[in-house]
C-alpha cells in the first residue's frame, strides 16, 4: 500500500519522508501512518482544491467529492450523513423499489433500522454520541467494565477473543473486529463479556433495576420492549428491539447477533427467573438452539428441539409457477425457488441446492443440519407473489427470468 501511494500520491505531492506500520509484510492501512505535519497539510490542500496540487491534477474531482461525502456515521458530533441517508432510503421505498408492505403490515429484521435508531439517540439523547449515551445511561450505572462501542480497541486487547471464520473453506483466525460491520453503532458495534452481560440481563429480570435496587430503566419501558407487536419467524413475535417466543410453557425474550467470527445470543424468562448467555468466537454456530437447550435443561425439560411438528403439504402447480424466481436481499442472500422437472418445489441459496419441504399452501421450511428455516410467500391482489419471509427477513422477488431445473 505504501509503495503504491508513494508513486501515485506522495511523490506528486513532494512528500518523501513517510512510513507506515506493518502487520507482517502488509501495511496496516487503517492506522500507523507516520507523516510530518507540513506534509499532512499538502493532503488537506489537495482536497481543498478538488484534487489539484501546484496546478497538477492528482485526484479526479469526482473522487474528491465522493470521498468527502458523509457515507457512514462514526457517531461523533457533525458526522451523521449515513443516518440521514438511511432515513431517506427508507422513506423513498415504493412497490417498485423495495417496499414489502404497508407500514406495520410485515416485519423484516433490518440493521439499517437499528442504525437509524442509534442516530436518533445521538441527535436527541443529550450526549455527543450514541456510544457515550450508552456509556453514561446503561454501561457505567450497571458496572459493565468491559463493554463499549469500538472496533479497534478489542483488537489491541490481548485478553479479547481471537475470531474464527471460514475463508475459502478453511477455518481462519483473525483479530479484525470490524470486518465489514455496520458502522452506525446501533447495528452491531457493541462489544461485551459474559460477566458484563450477566449484569445487563439481571436488569431485565428485575424490570429495570440492578440486583442492588438501583433503577436503570423504567419498568413500563421494559414491559413495552417485551410486548409482542409483530409476527417474527414461524412461531415468534417481535417487540421493541427484542424477540419473544414460547419455549414449551415458558415465555422467552431474546436477541441474537452475528458478525464474521462472532455468534451470540442472549435470552431470559421472567417466569423461570433465569437468563442464558451464549457467546462464541466462531461464525455460523447455532447459538439460539444452544440457548434454547440450556433454558430447557435449567427448567428440567428435554433440551432437544422437536423437528417433527411439520407435515409435508405439496404446493399446487400454479403456486410454484408464480413463486419461482430469484429473491435477492441487500445483505448478500440470493434465494431461488424453482419448479423441478417432476413438478415439485426446489430451492437454492447462493447457487447451492438446499432441502425445502412445503408444509402449508404458502409456507415451507428449509431443513438445515441443526434447525429449520421458515419460508412464507408474501403476496397481495395487485402484485401477486412479490417477496418471501425468509427466517427473520423479507426478501423481494427479482424481475429476472424464471427458470426450471436444468436450465
Amino acid at each position: 500500500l505504501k509503495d503504491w501511494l508513494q508513486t501515485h500520491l506522495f511523490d506528486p505531492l513532494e512528500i518523501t519522508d513517510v512510513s507506515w506500520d506493518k502487520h507482517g509484510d502488509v501495511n496496516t492501512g487503517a492506522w500507523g501512518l507516520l507523516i510530518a505535519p507540513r506534509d499532512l497539510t499538502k493532503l488537506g490542500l489537495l482536497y481543498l482544491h478538488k484534487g489539484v496540487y501546484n496546478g497538477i491534477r492528482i485526484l479526479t474531482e469526482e473522487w474528491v467529492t465522493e470521498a468527502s461525502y458523509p457515507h457512514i456515521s462514526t457517531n461523533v458530533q457533525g458526522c451523521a450523513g449515513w443516518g440521514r441517508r438511511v432515513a431517506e432510503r427508507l422513506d423513498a421505498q415504493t412497490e417498485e423499489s423495495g417496499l414489502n408492505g404497508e407500514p406495520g403490515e410485515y416485519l423484516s429484521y433490518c440493521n439499517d433500522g437499528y442504525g437509524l435508531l442509534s442516530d436518533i439517540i445521538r441527535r436527541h439523547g443529550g450526549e455527543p454520541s450514541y456510544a457515550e449515551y450508552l456509556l453514561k445511561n446503561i454501561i457505567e450505572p450497571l458496572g459493565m467494565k468491559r463493554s463499549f462501542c469500538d472496533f479497534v480497541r478489542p483488537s489491541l486487547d490481548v485478553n479479547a477473543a481471537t475470531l474464527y471464520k471460514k475463508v475459502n473453506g478453511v477455518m481462519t483466525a483473525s483479530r479484525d473486529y470490524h470486518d465489514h460491520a455496520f458502522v452506525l453503532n446501533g447495528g452491531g458495534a457493541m462489544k461485551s463479556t459474559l460477566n458484563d452481560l450477566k449484569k445487563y440481563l439481571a436488569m431485565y429480570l428485575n424490570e429495570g433495576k440492578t440486583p442492588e435496587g438501583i433503577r436503570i430503566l423504567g419498568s413500563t419501558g421494559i414491559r413495552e420492549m417485551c410486548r409482542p407487536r409483530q409476527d417474527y419467524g414461524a412461531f415468534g413475535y417481535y417487540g421493541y428491539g427484542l424477540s419473544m417466543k414460547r419455549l414449551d410453557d415458558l415465555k422467552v425474550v431474546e436477541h441474537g447477533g452475528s458478525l464474521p467470527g462472532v455468534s451470540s445470543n442472549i435470552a431470559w424468562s421472567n417466569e423461570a427467573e433465569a437468563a442464558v448467555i451464549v457467546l462464541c468466537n466462531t461464525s455460523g454456530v447455532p447459538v439460539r438452539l444452544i440457548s434454547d437447550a440450556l433454558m430447557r435443561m435449567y427448567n428440567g425439560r428435554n433440551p432437544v428441539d422437536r423437528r417433527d411438528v411439520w407435515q409435508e403439504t405439496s404446493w399446487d402447480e400454479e403456486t410454484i409457477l408464480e413463486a419461482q424466481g430469484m429473491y435477492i436481499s441487500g445483505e448478500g442472500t440470493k434465494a431461488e425457488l424453482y419448479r423441478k422437472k417432476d413438478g415439485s418445489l426446489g430451492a437454492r441459496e447462493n447457487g447451492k441446492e438446499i432441502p425445502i419441504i412445503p408444509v402449508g399452501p404458502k409456507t415451507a421450511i428449509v431443513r438445515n443440519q441443526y434447525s429449520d428455516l421458515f419460508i412464507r410467500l408474501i403476496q397481495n391482489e395487485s402484485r401477486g407473489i412479490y417477496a418471501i419471509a425468509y427466517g427473520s427477513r423479507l426478501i423481494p422477488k427479482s424481475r429476472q427470468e424464471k427458470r426450471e431445473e436444468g436450465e
Side-chain angles (χ1 to χ4, degrees):
L1 174 63
K2 190 266 179 183
D3 293 341
W4 189 91
L5 288 175
Q6 188 67 56
T7 300
H8 295 87
L9 181 64
F10 296 145
D11 284 347
L13 289 174
E14 300 174 333
I15 298 174
T16 58
D17 187 14
V18 61
S19 63
W20 208 317
D21 288 348
K22 289 186 174 182
H23 181 72
D25 295 328
V26 180
N27 296 119
T28 52
W31 66 86
L33 176 66
L34 303 177
I35 186 171
R38 63 178 178 275
D39 288 334
L40 196 58
T41 61
K42 297 177 182 178
L43 289 170
L45 289 171
L46 177 67
Y47 277 88
L48 185 64
H49 293 100
K50 300 186 182 301
V52 175
Y53 179 76
N54 280 348
I56 300 172
R57 177 160 296 283
I58 299 174
L59 301 175
T60 66
E61 185 172 346
E62 291 79 12
W63 167 258
V64 172
T65 300
E66 185 69 12
S68 305
Y69 189 84
H71 294 283
I72 58 176
S73 170
T74 56
N75 287 294
V76 295
Q77 198 67 27
C79 185
W82 185 246
R84 182 179 65 252
R85 292 186 72 185
V86 168
E88 290 172 351
R89 187 170 69 186
L90 293 174
D91 286 343
Q93 286 187 341
T94 65
E95 289 188 359
E96 291 73 31
S97 64
L99 186 66
N100 280 327
E102 296 299 318
E105 185 177 6
Y106 297 112
L107 167 71
S108 181
Y109 185 90
C110 173
N111 276 331
D112 282 5
Y114 278 94
L116 185 58
L117 175 62
S118 67
D119 205 56
I120 292 171
I121 293 173
R122 182 197 67 82
R123 289 168 178 260
H124 303 288
E127 300 297 331
S129 70
Y130 170 78
E132 289 172 90
Y133 179 90
L134 289 184
L135 191 68
K136 180 177 179 179
N137 294 280
I138 305 291
I139 295 172
E140 288 182 346
L142 284 174
M144 298 169 67
K145 303 294 186 182
R146 298 191 67 208
S147 300
F148 44 81
C149 290
D150 199 319
F151 296 108
V152 176
R153 179 175 163 185
S155 67
L156 303 176
D157 184 349
V158 295
N159 291 317
T162 298
L163 308 180
Y164 294 88
K165 63 178 181 178
K166 282 192 176 181
V167 179
N168 297 324
V170 178
M171 192 63 74
T172 305
S174 171
R175 293 185 64 79
D176 183 353
Y177 279 80
H178 181 262
D179 201 349
H180 299 91
F182 195 74
V183 180
L184 279 173
N185 282 177
M190 174 61 67
K191 307 295 184 293
S192 193
T193 66
L194 181 65
N195 284 330
D196 277 0
L197 286 173
K198 286 165 61 178
K199 299 172 183 178
Y200 183 68
L201 295 189
M203 176 193 69
Y204 282 102
L205 288 171
N206 287 285
E207 292 196 332
K209 292 183 180 180
T210 67
E212 296 75 27
I214 300 172
R215 172 68 64 187
I216 305 296
L217 298 176
S219 59
T220 301
I222 294 286
R223 288 193 294 271
E224 286 297 297
M225 290 175 68
C226 300
R227 183 160 67 86
R229 297 176 184 276
Q230 189 59 266
D231 292 341
Y232 187 67
F235 302 115
Y237 301 92
Y238 211 79
Y240 287 153
L242 296 166
S243 64
M244 54 274 324
K245 64 187 179 186
R246 301 301 303 187
L247 193 64
D248 300 326
D249 57 342
L250 297 175
K251 177 185 176 182
V252 174
V253 183
E254 66 180 349
H255 208 281
S258 63
L259 292 170
V262 177
S263 303
S264 62
N265 198 82
I266 57 173
W268 69 93
S269 171
N270 289 89
E271 296 168 346
E273 297 183 325
V276 175
I277 304 162
V278 183
L279 303 178
C280 186
N281 60 332
T282 306
S283 296
V285 175
V287 287
R288 182 186 59 80
L289 295 179
I290 296 171
S291 177
D292 288 352
L294 290 170
M295 185 68 79
R296 286 186 169 115
M297 289 173 63
Y298 178 81
N299 289 279
R301 294 163 173 82
N302 185 350
V304 179
D305 189 23
R306 289 188 59 188
R307 302 180 70 183
D308 59 351
V309 297
W310 306 105
Q311 180 173 339
E312 186 167 353
T313 304
S314 298
W315 288 5
D316 60 48
E317 184 175 13
E318 182 181 352
T319 299
I320 294 176
L321 290 175
E322 186 179 358
Q324 69 178 354
M326 296 291 294
Y327 298 80
I328 302 175
S329 78
E331 298 174 303
T333 298
K334 293 183 178 181
E336 180 184 3
L337 300 179
Y338 69 94
R339 180 182 181 274
K340 294 183 176 181
K341 289 182 177 179
D342 63 5
S344 63
L345 177 66
R348 301 182 182 96
E349 182 174 338
N350 297 330
K352 182 180 179 181
E353 195 75 20
I354 54 176
I356 186 169
I357 304 172
V359 295
K362 307 290 182 182
T363 58
I365 59 169
V366 172
R367 179 133 287 176
N368 296 314
Q369 182 177 3
Y370 301 109
S371 63
D372 297 327
L373 185 69
F374 185 70
I375 294 179
R376 183 174 78 253
L377 299 179
I378 304 299
Q379 64 185 125
N380 62 25
E381 186 175 353
S382 61
R383 300 169 69 184
I385 297 172
Y386 62 89
I388 56 172
Y390 196 61
S392 61
R393 266 74 169 177
L394 260 65
I395 304 180
K397 190 176 185 181
S398 170
R399 296 176 182 235
Q400 76 173 49
E401 291 291 323
K402 303 172 183 176
R403 68 182 194 181
E404 295 191 4
E405 183 182 38
E407 293 184 353

